[in-house]
Amino acid sequence: MTVAPHTSGPRTGEDSVFGSRPGTPEAGAEPDERTRDRVLAAVLEHGPVSAAELGDTLGFTPAAMRRHLDALFQHGLIEVKRAKSSASGAGRPARRYVLSQRGQSKLGNDYLDIAKAALAQLGTLAGPDAVREFARSRFAGMEERYAPVVDAAGPSLEDRALALAGALSADGFASSTKTVGGSAGRTSMLSVQLCQGHCPIQELAAEFPAFCDQETEVFSRLLGVDVRRLSTLARGGHVCTTHIPVGRVRPAAVAEAEPDFPSGQATLSIHQQGRP
């Protein structure tokens, strides 16, 4: 879920995400705080991610990486998620790290209390439709800015989804895409998952789901297909994941080359697809 990008860089000193207190081991240790801000940002961008992968990305020794991850974990800013390796398929699940809800909220959500109160007042005075209209108008700017970027990617849904992820990442939302479901020649099940690792207003969206709904509708219009939200940060997910069906959509060039269907024979509509 995304609305207003927060693009400020890592905090240092008193502005660090750790909020060190005098007398604590971190107090006055600005180099460590800056380093851990970097680690936190890397977990945001790449999570779920292993300590080894983070060490390779940031150039840290295994011992240094564990020390910084332990500190972030103790502050409640990251969580451990266990997952089996797809390579081995056996053995003990690997430890992978993601941002906790507190870690997400530490990345620039100081205005949320005011926003919550304002939207609650708007809903009280003008009704829930007013909140939905506010959310719709807020996303209109995103759709206008992203449309040329997505359209320039061409007709391929995979390429359009990748372009959308790039536009979101440029606004600070740590987005990526992953193609799934096309194994064993079952191309009709092929889909793309668009993941967003950061939501600057997830607490706001948790109380006002109209923001998630409007963003989903924008994605659908930009991509030209119905999409489904599989998870959101606002509802407790580790990332916001949007399911984009690919296998049931025929590219325009293919559709033009194929003969027309006999009268009365309906084509498969993307609106009729079931949940993955």
Side-chain angles (χ1 to χ4, degrees), residues 6-259:
H6 182 84
T7 56
S8 62
R11 306 171 185 177
T12 60
E14 293 182 355
D15 290 331
S16 167
V17 295
F18 297 99
S20 300
R21 299 183 302 274
T24 64
E26 290 83 7
E30 291 189 12
D32 265 359
E33 291 175 354
R34 287 194 294 268
T35 298
R36 288 169 191 167
D37 283 340
R38 287 181 58 206
V39 174
L40 191 67
V43 174
L44 162 66
E45 182 175 357
H46 301 290
V49 62
S50 69
E53 290 167 341
L54 285 170
D56 290 342
T57 298
L58 299 172
F60 293 163
T61 65
M65 195 72 257
R66 284 194 298 270
R67 179 167 62 87
H68 292 306
L69 288 172
D70 285 346
L72 289 168
F73 183 80
Q74 289 170 7
H75 281 83
L77 298 175
I78 62 173
E79 297 175 350
V80 176
K81 181 180 181 181
R82 294 191 177 275
K84 287 188 177 180
S85 170
S86 58
S88 65
R92 185 177 180 182
R95 292 168 61 91
R96 305 185 74 85
Y97 297 90
V98 296
L99 259 64
S100 66
Q101 184 173 354
R102 181 182 178 191
Q104 289 280 345
S105 66
K106 284 292 183 181
L107 293 176
N109 290 349
D110 296 340
Y111 66 91
L112 281 178
D113 287 343
I114 297 174
K116 287 180 183 178
L119 285 173
Q121 184 77 352
L122 176 64
T124 299
L125 295 176
D129 286 344
V131 176
R132 284 192 291 270
E133 177 59 23
F134 177 85
R136 187 204 62 76
S137 64
R138 182 63 187 84
F139 280 106
M142 170 197 279
E143 186 171 1
E144 184 177 355
R145 288 188 298 110
Y146 287 5
V149 177
V150 175
D151 288 343
S156 165
L157 268 177
E158 293 95 326
D159 292 342
R160 292 176 73 84
L162 186 62
L164 176 56
L168 289 164
S169 290
D171 276 347
F173 300 121
S175 299
S176 62
T177 61
K178 178 174 66 175
T179 302
V180 298
S183 60
R186 299 180 62 187
T187 56
S188 64
M189 300 300 293
L190 189 66
S191 65
V192 171
Q193 290 186 354
L194 172 67
C195 297
Q196 298 158 260
H198 178 46
C199 173
I201 62 153
Q202 70 179 78
E203 295 178 25
L204 185 67
E207 292 192 24
F208 301 96
F211 287 96
C212 291
D213 296 340
Q214 290 299 319
E215 184 188 60
T216 304
E217 290 184 15
V218 166
F219 289 174
S220 182
R221 289 193 295 269
L222 288 171
L223 296 171
V225 295
D226 285 347
V227 302
R228 296 182 185 276
R229 270 280 162 74
L230 302 182
S231 67
T232 63
L233 288 158
R235 296 175 183 173
H238 292 304
V239 295
C240 295
T241 303
T242 303
H243 172 82
I244 305 166
V246 174
R248 300 184 183 185
V249 178
R250 295 180 303 159
V254 174
E256 291 175 2
E258 292 180 353

